[in-house]
Amino acid sequence: MPPHGRRRLSCLTLILSLLLLFSSTASAASAVLGIDLGTEYIKAALVKPGIPLEIVLTKDSKRKETAVVAFKASISGSDAKIFPERIYGSDALALSPRFPGDVYPNLKPLLGQQFKNTNAVTEFRKRFPELRVMESKEKGTIGFRSSTFDQTEELFMVEELLAMELKNIRSNAVALAGKGSSVRDAVITVPPFYNAEEKRAVMLAAELAGLRVLSLISDGLAVGLNYATSRTFPIASEGGKPEIHLVYDMGAGSTTATVLKFQGRVVKDVGKFNKTIQEVHVLGTGSHKDLGGDFLNQVILDDMVQKFTETNKMRTQGPDASHVKQHGRTMAKLWKECERIRQVLSANTETQASFESLYYDDVNFKYKITRPEFETLASEYADRVGIPIKLALDAAKIELSDIESVILHGGAVRTPFVQKRLETTVGSADKVRTNVNSDEAAVFGAAFMAAGISPSFRVKEIRIGDTAGFASGTTWISDGKERQQKLFTPTSAIGAEKQITFKTTDDFTFELFQQLPGEKGDMTNSPITKIQTKNLTASVKQLEDKFGCIAADMNTKFSIRLSPIDRLPEVVKGSVSCEGIEKKGGVVDGMKDLFGFGSKKSDQKPLGENEDVDPSSSSLEADSSTTLSPKEDKTPEPADDNAKVDERPKEVKKKTETIYIDFTSEPTGLPQLSAESLERIKERLAAFDSSDRSRVKREETLNTLEAFTYKARDLLEDDSFIAASTEAQRVEIEQKFSAASEWLYGDGADASREALKARLEELHGLVDPVQKRKDEAAKRPTEIKSLQEALTQVKLMADVVKQQREAASIADAAASSSSVAESETQKTTETPSSTPVDDFAGLDDDESSTTTTLKPTETPDAPPMPSYTQEDLDKLLSTHDSVKAWLDNAIEAQSKLGLTDDPAILTSDLITKSQELQRVVTQMLQRQMQKPRKSSKTKTATAKAGSKVKSKPTNSVDIDELLKDMPASDREELEKMMRPPKTEQEGGQKETGTKTTVKSKETGKSKAKGHEEL
């Protein structure tokens, strides 16, 4: 890995970087998504240009989607390649009483959990006994086997099922964003107690759903971010006291408390300006995983089962509560009603529910419960309400009196006894606030963060600070002993970076870990990432050989930070360094040595007493010798053969040399999916998508066929349709459509798309010919009339072009005779005569003031006629004649046919012929307009000041003269086609009798403007 800041980029790299920048900028213009991933519901908010912040609605226009996916077996008679139909949300939940083994709700608590974690698996199986929960062999996590697939099919991982739900949310967001929009980037909320395995499971599910996670954000911080978007806080840099609030979030699966500090701050802006921003920092968090809406539902369910087994019929049948809880359909019906009962008790003092055919077909059950009874059943959970608050305050190291308010969030906080316990815990009812949307505050905060990360949006600047949640450290082996060093605490800020030093000079391995609470309450080290160096040994040898470093003096350092994406520790960079000796020298010193100005070489010795100097080696010295004064003239002393040359030591300088270390990072903990398994899951998801598209197309074909059968009944009662069809055709249509309607409500309900298309094409084959005759008969007269009018206009235009050519021939002949007469006059004018004496002959003319006055040029009343060729005329006539002949023949053939016969003339053919005539005329006019315009200048003669030359009028043909004898309607239409548009230059010179004088400083000649012709 090359050192940072020392890499030189090639041209190709720069070009590719620019292309990547532009492509990323284009993709950044797409929408971003904020997702609140809950146990019971999933909510999403979209941010897009034109859509500032909008909740993504479900397909049935609800603001939140139930976190459920269900598989419905494919229809009989369909292709074997068709996968089961996937159903989401409330529609999927409605199928749970019928198909309890293929409805997968509340998957969030199972993310990142090992199958041997008996608590999570046991609790899930107790609520949903019909689901086949099994162990995934590759990862050791939880998987499901579906009864709609063959038993040899691979298990469905929790991440794969969650990916289906996220992909459904994404498709709803694309529908909201509009056609052509891309929705790929997202910020997802997670509880603050999520460890590395749980966060990686969320990231994997998002990846399988086609989402790119910009960041994970804790639930409480997302609520606080939404709280800060519409508020300003005291400026801490100016002595303001920060506001401290606590977000209490009770959802379906867990309860968390987050202590947040809100404050303003003045920071440096662009240039010399300052700006005020808002800050939201997490001070501490606390949580309770066994407190939430599902646990409150469970106490209602247990009471239901107990009362159900105490009914007379159940006593006689014999099954007890344990048998009822193992019955999938019964538990699905009861669990669905538990949620509704708890919500009703939040606003009412009592409620009831009725069940038919529960457990046995002939057993009905009616359940009734009051609010006091419910609170008595849930008293155990009421005592747990204050635990998250105490843990959060302890982590933040503050007192309850420092809290200004408790912000409520989550669906379960609406439970009356929960709010009462909160008021008791905080000591005042005024501190408990409901000033945020308890359902949507978190998703709005996540969407706001996504917009802030994306470069496509500019939002209010709010800087957030999240915490690690768990302590973390590193461990490695050194000198045969295991070493360990602590890195971050649970309250360490995200983005914080630390540097650790290792006393090792060989390639080695070290691990990063999190400290998680164990089953007995003690802390255990859970490995996260394994780091393996690659070039440390080679780098140490390079430092020794090149810079003379000693291994004992070398420092091996790694920088580790809390990732801003998943909030987990990650290695940023590593390096090995030492203080080496830098030798002074280089190219300049080499040149000095070459010319004898450098240091003495080892092979250079002083001359002896009787030794002569080689002339060739002393030529440079002889050339540069100088004359010394008598005082300076010294005789050298004899040199001793054993004398040593006094050599000066080379100049040395110590410099820190650093080599960056290459390393690999490998996730540890639970085994990761292999590339083959990941590809297999993606292929299965793609097959599901393809199957869904095929199913949608089949449903569209089915709906089209059904609508067409109803349309046929109206056609058979239409008078024009009856006139265009025979009795036999109508009888056949009626029989076929009746048979198709019966087939649709019978075997056709399960037919494949190909069978539906074949039946639809058969019916179209009967109806379309009659419908075509009906439509043609209605449109034909109008189109024939339009074509005949076009023929008339083309004929009139051909006549006008013919007259124009004849008039142009006459004008050319007149212009030729006029030019001959003018030539004779020119010769007479230029005959030499006696020159009079000029008294001012000796004076020079002022060229700058010399002008030539011309007689006004006579301008015709209309612009000159365009010049059309004989070829234009011939093309007009030939096109007119061919179209007219075709129309006459077609009309004659059509007159011999009846209403039930196929037409001899189609309206499309009539329209084509009209377009052919129009195209010929348009091409001729455009060709004339595109010809270069020739300027007709008035003939002038070069003369001195005061001389006058008469200009001959230009011959032209007036269009009005040619059109005056035609009917008014034809004349108006042809005048539009024949008369060319006037230009500004022509319009400005229409007035006659004006003098045009142009001064020329260079030639002293006058230039007269003339009319321009097409």
Side-chain angles (χ1 to χ4, degrees):
M1 180 177 178
H4 299 315
R6 298 186 182 181
R7 288 176 286 185
R8 181 174 292 177
L9 298 178
S10 64
C11 260
L12 179 60
T13 306
L14 289 174
I15 293 173
L16 292 176
S17 301
L18 290 174
L19 290 176
L20 179 61
L21 174 63
F22 295 144
S23 62
S24 62
T25 303
S27 64
S30 57
V32 294
L33 209 64
I35 299 177
D36 182 13
L37 183 61
T39 302
E40 187 178 4
Y41 294 101
I42 300 178
K43 296 173 281 289
L46 180 73
V47 181
K48 177 183 179 293
I51 304 177
L53 198 62
E54 184 71 25
I55 286 291
V56 177
L57 300 179
T58 65
K59 289 182 173 58
D60 47 358
S61 300
K62 294 182 179 179
R63 297 179 68 86
K64 56 185 179 181
E65 184 78 278
T66 307
V68 185
V69 59
F71 294 160
K72 186 178 179 181
S74 57
I75 55 179
S76 60
S78 61
D79 189 355
K81 298 292 183 182
I82 297 296
F83 276 64
E85 181 181 1
R86 293 180 298 184
I87 304 174
Y88 302 96
S90 56
D91 293 339
L93 196 61
L95 293 176
S96 57
R98 295 173 55 197
F99 309 103
D102 283 305
V103 179
Y104 305 93
N106 298 21
L107 297 174
K108 183 180 177 181
L110 303 180
L111 287 172
Q113 300 295 327
Q114 290 181 305
F115 182 77
K116 62 182 181 180
N117 185 347
T118 56
N119 185 24
V121 176
T122 302
E123 194 69 28
F124 191 84
R125 280 177 169 171
K126 184 168 63 173
R127 296 173 183 173
F128 312 104
E130 196 74 14
L131 291 175
R132 303 172 63 184
V133 184
M134 306 181 73
E135 181 180 7
S136 175
K137 299 298 182 182
E138 185 172 3
K139 291 193 63 176
T141 54
I142 301 171
F144 295 92
R145 186 173 298 284
S146 173
S147 60
T148 58
F149 284 88
D150 188 82
Q151 297 303 307
T152 59
E153 183 72 20
E154 293 288 341
L155 297 179
F156 285 90
M157 296 175 54
V158 178
E159 294 87 344
E160 185 177 359
L161 296 175
L162 180 59
M164 296 180 184
E165 298 179 19
L166 293 177
K167 202 163 191 177
N168 175 57
I169 294 292
R170 182 190 176 194
S171 64
N172 294 338
V174 171
L176 174 61
K179 186 177 181 181
S181 299
S182 173
V183 180
R184 187 168 178 265
D185 298 334
V187 170
I188 303 177
T189 64
V190 294
F193 57 79
Y194 257 25
N195 57 34
E197 300 299 341
E198 292 166 322
K199 291 179 180 179
R200 286 171 180 170
V202 173
M203 301 279 283
L204 176 59
E207 178 188 352
L208 294 175
L211 293 171
R212 183 168 67 100
V213 179
L214 298 176
S215 176
L216 298 177
I217 183 173
S218 61
D219 297 321
L221 181 57
V223 175
L225 183 57
N226 176 251
Y227 181 80
T229 54
S230 58
R231 293 170 174 84
T232 57
F233 305 98
I235 301 176
S237 56
E238 297 179 357
K241 182 182 178 181
E243 296 182 10
I244 299 179
H245 301 268
L246 185 143
V247 175
Y248 190 86
D249 183 6
M250 180 181 284
S254 62
T255 301
T256 62
T258 306
V259 179
L260 300 174
K261 180 177 70 173
F262 299 86
Q263 64 184 12
R265 185 178 298 277
V266 177
V267 297
K268 189 73 174 178
D269 199 3
V270 179
K272 299 181 180 180
F273 300 97
N274 294 331
K275 62 180 179 180
T276 302
I277 64 170
Q278 307 301 314
E279 293 181 341
V280 183
H281 294 281
V282 177
L283 300 182
T285 61
S287 60
H288 201 302
K289 296 182 180 180
D290 297 331
L291 176 63
D294 282 351
F295 298 94
L296 301 181
N297 295 342
Q298 185 67 45
V299 299
I300 298 176
L301 185 139
D302 292 340
D303 186 56
M304 275 186 177
V305 173
Q306 184 65 31
K307 291 181 178 179
F308 175 62
T309 55
E310 292 177 356
T311 59
N312 294 329
K313 285 190 176 182
M314 292 301 295
R315 284 179 180 178
T316 57
Q317 297 292 342
D320 56 6
S322 60
H323 289 87
V324 173
K325 290 183 178 181
Q326 293 298 320
H327 194 263
R329 293 187 177 182
T330 300
M331 290 299 293
K333 291 180 180 180
L334 296 177
W335 184 261
K336 183 180 176 181
E337 280 299 308
C338 288
E339 174 71 16
R340 186 193 65 82
I341 290 173
R342 181 176 62 83
Q343 293 177 354
V344 171
L345 288 177
S346 298
N348 300 277
T349 57
E350 64 178 21
T351 186
Q352 61 183 10
S354 298
F355 303 92
E356 296 181 358
S357 302
L358 190 64
Y359 197 79
Y360 293 114
D361 293 339
D362 58 343
V363 177
N364 299 330
F365 174 60
K366 187 174 182 179
Y367 177 75
K368 183 178 180 180
I369 187 173
T370 63
R371 184 188 293 177
E373 292 175 347
F374 169 60
E375 292 178 354
T376 302
L377 294 172
S379 59
E380 176 187 357
Y381 296 98
D383 297 335
R384 302 176 184 178
V385 171
I387 295 178
I389 297 178
K390 183 178 183 305
L391 294 175
L393 294 176
D394 292 342
K397 298 180 180 180
I398 61 174
E399 300 296 331
L400 185 60
S401 58
D402 298 327
I403 301 295
E404 296 191 17
S405 70
V406 176
I407 303 172
L408 300 183
H409 187 265
V413 295
R414 300 187 183 96
T415 307
F417 78 82
V418 172
Q419 295 188 3
K420 290 180 181 179
R421 284 303 182 102
L422 284 174
E423 293 172 1
T424 303
T425 302
V426 299
S428 173
D430 296 335
K431 278 191 174 183
V432 179
R433 307 279 179 82
T434 57
N435 47 6
V436 299
N437 189 328
S438 60
D439 274 337
E440 299 174 353
V443 69
F444 281 137
F448 185 88
M449 182 179 181
I453 296 175
S454 173
S456 299
F457 305 97
R458 183 178 180 182
V459 298
K460 177 182 178 181
E461 188 168 354
I462 302 177
R463 298 182 182 179
I464 61 174
D466 206 348
T467 57
F470 297 100
S472 59
T474 180
T475 178
W476 71 98
I477 303 296
S478 178
D479 298 331
K481 297 181 179 180
E482 182 177 354
R483 311 289 181 176
Q484 183 173 316
Q485 182 173 343
K486 190 175 182 180
L487 294 175
F488 303 103
T489 65
T491 57
S492 295
I494 297 301
E497 186 173 324
K498 284 192 176 181
Q499 193 175 75
I500 58 174
T501 302
F502 297 92
K503 292 295 183 180
T504 180
T505 55
D506 294 325
D507 285 313
F508 72 109
T509 301
F510 65 96
E511 283 189 340
L512 304 177
F513 64 85
Q514 278 185 329
Q515 288 187 344
L516 304 179
E519 295 181 358
K520 298 181 181 181
D522 55 339
M523 303 301 291
T524 59
N525 294 340
S526 176
I528 300 175
T529 308
K530 182 174 70 174
I531 311 298
Q532 173 67 55
T533 63
K534 297 175 64 178
N535 65 334
L536 178 58
T537 304
S539 299
V540 169
K541 189 175 187 308
Q542 182 180 354
L543 291 175
E544 291 176 344
D545 296 344
K546 188 174 181 179
F547 302 103
C549 297
I550 302 175
D553 297 334
M554 296 183 187
N555 293 321
T556 302
K557 298 180 180 179
F558 282 88
S559 297
I560 303 174
R561 70 169 180 178
L562 291 172
S563 170
I565 297 179
D566 56 10
R567 275 59 176 159
L568 298 177
E570 63 176 0
V571 177
V572 179
K573 61 182 178 180
S575 64
V576 57
S577 62
C578 70
E579 287 190 351
I581 299 176
E582 182 184 13
K583 296 181 180 180
K584 185 177 180 181
V587 178
V588 177
D589 294 334
M591 295 299 294
K592 289 182 179 179
D593 292 340
L594 178 63
F595 290 100
F597 299 105
S599 61
K600 295 183 179 180
K601 307 294 182 182
S602 59
D603 57 348
Q604 292 179 340
K605 298 180 181 179
L607 292 176
E609 182 179 356
N610 299 323
E611 291 180 356
D612 296 331
V613 178
D614 188 359
S616 61
S617 63
S618 60
S619 58
L620 181 63
E621 182 181 354
D623 293 339
S624 60
S625 62
T626 58
T627 303
L628 301 176
S629 62
K631 294 183 180 181
E632 295 174 346
D633 189 7
K634 298 181 180 180
T635 303
E637 296 180 358
D640 187 3
D641 292 343
N642 297 326
K644 296 183 179 180
V645 179
D646 182 17
E647 297 182 359
R648 297 178 60 185
K650 296 181 180 179
E651 183 179 358
V652 296
K653 180 180 179 182
K654 289 187 176 181
K655 179 183 178 183
T656 302
E657 299 293 338
T658 302
I659 298 178
Y660 288 91
I661 301 174
D662 292 341
F663 59 88
T664 58
S665 299
E666 180 183 352
T668 54
L670 293 178
Q672 301 300 306
L673 284 177
S674 63
E676 294 78 9
S677 299
L678 188 61
E679 185 64 25
R680 173 183 54 78
I681 293 175
K682 290 182 178 180
E683 289 178 356
R684 182 159 64 179
L685 289 174
F688 264 109
D689 295 338
S690 177
S691 177
D692 289 343
R693 288 191 295 268
S694 299
R695 186 175 293 105
V696 169
K697 291 180 180 179
R698 178 194 173 277
E699 291 175 356
E700 291 176 352
T701 305
L702 177 63
N703 294 336
T704 303
L705 177 58
E706 188 175 7
F708 195 59
T709 57
Y710 288 109
K711 181 181 177 181
R713 300 172 186 174
D714 299 334
L715 290 176
L716 292 175
E717 297 176 0
D718 187 10
D719 294 337
S720 57
F721 187 87
I722 295 173
S725 60
T726 62
E727 181 66 25
Q729 290 173 334
R730 291 193 296 275
V731 170
E732 184 180 7
I733 290 174
E734 185 176 4
Q735 292 176 351
K736 291 289 185 181
F737 272 82
S738 297
S741 181
E742 294 177 1
W743 177 76
L744 276 177
Y745 295 100
D747 297 337
D750 297 335
S752 63
R753 180 169 179 257
E754 288 70 20
L756 295 173
K757 285 180 64 177
R759 185 62 66 100
L760 182 61
E761 291 173 358
E762 180 186 5
L763 298 180
H764 271 291
L766 297 174
V767 174
D768 289 352
V770 180
Q771 186 69 30
K772 183 178 180 180
R773 291 195 294 268
K774 170 191 168 184
D775 296 339
E776 290 291 335
K779 299 177 182 178
R780 188 184 307 116
T782 303
E783 296 300 334
I784 289 178
K785 183 179 179 181
S786 298
L787 182 57
Q788 289 173 342
E789 291 177 353
L791 285 170
T792 302
Q793 293 174 1
V794 171
K795 178 61 176 172
L796 289 174
M797 183 174 182
D799 294 341
V800 172
V801 170
K802 185 176 180 181
Q803 295 177 20
Q804 183 266 346
R805 286 192 52 76
E806 294 175 356
S809 300
I810 297 173
D812 290 342
S816 177
S817 61
S818 175
S819 63
V820 173
E822 183 179 355
S823 176
E824 294 296 334
T825 306
Q826 182 86 10
K827 292 179 181 180
T828 307
T829 305
E830 294 177 357
T831 302
S833 59
S834 57
T835 303
V837 178
D838 189 357
D839 296 337
F840 302 97
L843 299 178
D844 294 333
D845 294 334
D846 185 3
E847 293 183 357
S848 62
S849 61
T850 302
T851 60
T852 302
T853 304
L854 304 178
K855 189 176 181 180
T857 301
E858 297 180 5
T859 306
D861 295 336
M865 192 75 156
S867 177
Y868 296 103
T869 64
Q870 183 64 35
E871 181 182 355
D872 296 336
L873 180 60
D874 294 341
K875 191 169 185 179
L876 274 177
L877 293 174
S878 62
T879 305
H880 170 273
D881 295 342
S882 62
V883 173
K884 188 175 184 305
W886 174 85
L887 181 60
D888 293 341
N889 294 334
I891 292 175
E892 183 180 356
Q894 183 64 41
S895 62
K896 300 177 181 179
L897 301 176
L899 293 177
T900 58
D901 296 326
D902 291 334
I905 310 177
L906 298 178
T907 55
S908 59
D909 295 337
L910 294 171
I911 295 174
T912 301
K913 293 297 181 180
S914 297
Q915 292 174 350
E916 181 182 354
L917 293 173
Q918 182 181 2
R919 184 168 54 253
V920 171
V921 175
T922 303
Q923 289 176 354
M924 187 178 67
L925 293 177
Q926 288 179 348
R927 189 166 57 251
Q928 292 297 331
M929 296 294 292
Q930 292 172 358
K931 286 185 178 181
R933 299 184 177 184
K934 298 180 181 180
S935 178
S936 177
K937 297 182 180 179
T938 306
K939 296 182 180 180
T940 60
T942 305
K944 292 184 179 181
S947 62
K948 298 180 180 180
V949 180
K950 295 182 179 181
S951 177
K952 298 289 182 181
T954 304
N955 296 297
S956 63
V957 179
D958 194 352
I959 296 178
D960 296 334
E961 187 67 24
L962 296 174
L963 303 179
K964 65 181 181 179
D965 296 331
M966 294 185 179
S969 59
D970 297 339
R971 184 170 66 249
E972 181 180 356
E973 186 67 27
L974 287 175
E975 185 177 11
K976 292 179 182 179
M977 293 188 295
M978 297 293 293
R979 190 184 301 279
K982 295 180 180 180
T983 62
E984 295 181 1
Q985 185 176 358
E986 294 169 341
Q989 296 183 10
K990 188 171 181 179
E991 297 181 2
T992 59
T994 59
K995 293 183 179 180
T996 305
T997 303
V998 180
K999 295 182 179 180
S1000 174
K1001 294 183 179 181
E1002 298 178 357
T1003 60
K1005 299 180 180 180
S1006 298
K1007 300 179 180 179
K1009 296 182 179 179
H1011 292 284
E1012 292 183 355
E1013 298 178 355
L1014 287 175

